[in-house]
Amino acid sequence: MTRGTFWCATALIDGVPVDAVRVHASPDGTIARLERGVPASAGDTVLGTVFPGMGDAHSHAFHRALRGRTQADGGDFWRWRESMYAAASALDPDLYYELASAVFGEMLISGWTAVGEFHYVHHRPDGRPYPDPHAMELAVAAAARDTGIRLTLLDTCYLRGGTNRPLSDLQLRFGDDSADAWLRRWDSLRDSLDAGSHTVAGPGPAVTLGAALHSVRAVPRAAMATILAGLPATVPLHIHLSEQPQENAECLAEHGLTPTGLLHELGALTPRLSVVHATHLTDADVKLLGDAGVTAVFCPTTEADLGDGIGPARRLADAGARLALGSDQNAVVDPFLEARGLEAGERLASGRRGRFSPPDLTEALTRGGYASLGLGTGGLQVGAWLDLVELDAASVRTVGASANQLPLVATASDVRRVIVGGRIVASDGLTPAGDPALLLGAALRRLDETIADITPKEPA
């Protein structure tokens, strides 16, 4: 349901609590006007404590299938990755639509109003395109539209299994043979979405098409140069960067440069670039990234779960980088826990509290995420998208807390209503499609059945 005006008992504007705020909607779903210190009036949708919409700047929706199934296995990132490939091998467009719809629903009821889906499951498991070469991309886009979340589809180039290593059998469906082939497919997808020749159903906001280079280990130098030259300069571009020491070692051996140094030589370090994880950086890397004004996307719950390490978030921010947050593998879907994880990591690494203030954390969740996804300025201001998250400020977790410190105490359980583009898309844990837990249960059962069907059986 679309409303013309929303009255907020308290709204966080630029990280500062402001009482009695009325937000006026434009027909296009942006904020037309803000009034402060005004009483509610007839016709207003009355809200309590309100955050601006929060942007999940890095997600792999299908990784949600691994939650609670790999955490006890031990090992490291590389061992976890094998389980992830098994889940990827079971996906087809219909199943991916079902799973992504459920995950996007979980995101909405948790307070994420926008998501950047770092998408690389492009083709059939043997690498051949589907009859509709955009079938997987359109499934993800339709899931977002039907659910009501704002989506930036980060179509990802993934060409090799590592330095001088071809794609493995389990990676074939990620690849496009060459940078030129990937660019042709990306251009075709953009043209199809722009022209409306493919129908992406649903009442949700339009899908933004972005791009991603999977990593310097998965995309050769010459291919990265081709893609950087071929992509429009306004398209948001993302890349996994220095998540693992092994990635750095392989890049140094192949190029004599760190991954950051290689991107710098290629001219990739610009404000449109978002570097995901940015965990294992040299001092020179930090300076290059800060000088370029890139966005550093941290995913603290995933980085902790996979044992990646603690990235230099404070140093990057001080150097000039913008910060954003993401849910990555979706082992946790909770923007407030990502924000607290960012601060907790800094405290553990430095031995000091308050490395990021509550307004800093709110900025990363809201403006930082939206900027990373090419969705404008974000926040509560005229011209930004009218995306709001109402919190229960009197729950057992939040009661007594100052409104500006809610990022340090609230959880997704405190989210009441969620508005995207001036429409209520979630309320008290439910979306118009129903309970995301039930949707997830059904999707995961179907995924398990598919994995069982394709898993080779031991001879009797």
Side-chain angles (χ1 to χ4, degrees):
M1 178 181 295
T2 302
R3 299 284 187 177
T5 54
F6 296 84
W7 185 86
C8 312
T10 301
L12 265 71
I13 300 177
D14 297 329
V16 177
V18 179
D19 291 336
V21 175
R22 180 178 290 119
V23 184
H24 294 259
S26 292
D28 64 357
T30 59
I31 297 173
R33 185 158 57 100
L34 288 173
E35 297 179 273
R36 307 184 188 204
V38 297
S41 63
D44 289 345
T45 298
V46 176
L47 306 173
T49 299
V50 172
F51 272 68
M54 293 181 274
D56 182 343
H58 187 69
S59 164
H60 304 288
F62 78 91
H63 290 191
R64 170 62 181 82
L66 304 180
R67 183 192 297 177
R69 302 177 177 205
T70 63
Q71 274 81 359
D73 293 346
D76 58 10
F77 167 85
W78 305 102
R79 179 173 174 182
W80 168 87
R81 192 175 70 157
E82 297 307 313
S83 299
M84 180 268 287
Y85 286 160
S89 68
L91 296 173
D92 62 23
D94 290 342
L95 179 51
Y96 207 178
Y97 169 83
E98 186 178 347
L99 180 59
S101 296
V103 174
F104 293 156
E106 183 181 10
M107 289 177 178
L108 279 177
I109 68 170
S110 300
W112 293 117
T113 51
V115 59
E117 184 61 25
F118 199 103
H119 170 74
Y120 50 80
V121 187
H122 301 304
H123 308 300
R124 290 186 280 199
D126 61 4
R128 291 178 300 134
Y130 285 97
D132 180 341
H134 307 309
M136 293 297 275
E137 291 71 41
L138 290 171
V140 175
R145 291 291 305 276
D146 289 350
T147 306
I149 199 167
R150 202 175 293 284
L151 172 69
T152 296
L153 182 61
L154 297 163
D155 194 273
T156 302
C157 182
Y158 197 136
L159 297 178
R160 63 180 185 174
T163 303
N164 298 319
R165 295 197 301 275
L167 295 173
S168 70
D169 289 347
L170 291 173
Q171 295 170 321
L172 288 174
R173 69 184 315 181
F174 308 159
D176 285 294
D177 295 327
S178 69
D180 287 326
W182 179 85
L183 277 169
R184 287 193 295 272
R185 188 177 57 74
W186 189 92
D187 284 336
S188 174
L189 176 60
R190 177 191 58 179
D191 292 345
S192 295
L193 292 171
D194 286 348
S197 59
H198 290 90
T199 299
V200 180
V207 172
T208 298
L209 181 60
L213 304 166
H214 181 273
S215 58
V216 299
R217 59 183 166 81
V219 186
R221 178 180 182 140
M224 286 194 284
T226 297
I227 289 168
L228 290 167
L231 277 176
T234 56
V235 171
L237 178 66
H238 288 220
I239 186 170
H240 292 123
L241 184 75
S242 292
E243 181 179 4
Q244 295 290 324
Q246 181 177 325
E247 176 187 325
N248 290 354
E250 290 184 3
C251 190
L252 283 165
E254 183 178 12
H255 303 291
L257 296 164
T258 65
T260 298
L262 177 60
L263 294 177
H264 173 65
E265 281 209 350
L266 289 168
L269 300 185
T270 69
R272 68 101 166 243
L273 183 70
S274 291
V275 296
V276 182
H277 302 305
T279 306
H280 301 282
L281 303 179
T282 66
D283 290 343
D285 292 339
V286 170
K287 185 175 189 308
L288 286 172
L289 295 168
D291 287 348
V294 307
T295 297
V297 181
F298 288 94
C299 308
T301 62
T302 289
E303 289 146 10
D305 181 66
L306 298 182
D308 288 344
I310 300 171
R314 181 69 266 171
R315 289 197 292 132
L316 281 165
D318 291 343
R322 190 166 202 165
L323 301 186
L325 292 160
S327 63
D328 195 358
Q329 62 163 326
N330 296 299
V332 177
V333 175
D334 189 322
F336 302 105
L337 293 187
E338 300 297 347
R340 286 213 283 290
L342 188 71
E343 168 64 8
E346 281 288 326
R347 292 183 184 190
L348 289 168
S350 69
R352 300 291 300 274
R353 303 178 78 211
R355 298 281 285 171
F356 290 106
S357 69
D360 291 336
L361 299 177
T362 301
E363 174 80 6
L365 284 170
T366 60
R367 293 180 188 269
Y370 272 52
S372 171
L373 300 177
L375 297 175
T377 60
L380 275 172
Q381 63 177 330
V382 173
W385 293 112
L386 204 169
D387 299 347
L388 308 172
V389 178
E390 180 191 24
L391 291 182
D392 182 350
S395 76
V396 70
R397 290 163 295 277
T398 60
V399 66
S402 300
N404 70 322
Q405 294 196 35
L406 285 172
L408 295 170
V409 296
T411 72
S413 298
D414 298 310
V415 173
R416 296 192 60 208
R417 283 175 287 184
V418 178
I419 292 95
V420 175
R423 296 177 57 250
I424 297 174
V425 294
S427 181
D428 294 324
L430 299 176
T431 69
D435 184 344
L438 298 178
L439 300 176
L440 279 164
L444 292 172
R445 285 191 294 274
R446 186 176 165 201
L447 182 72
D448 288 344
E449 292 167 359
T450 304
I451 291 173
D453 287 342
I454 65 176
T455 300
K457 303 299 189 292
E458 293 291 335

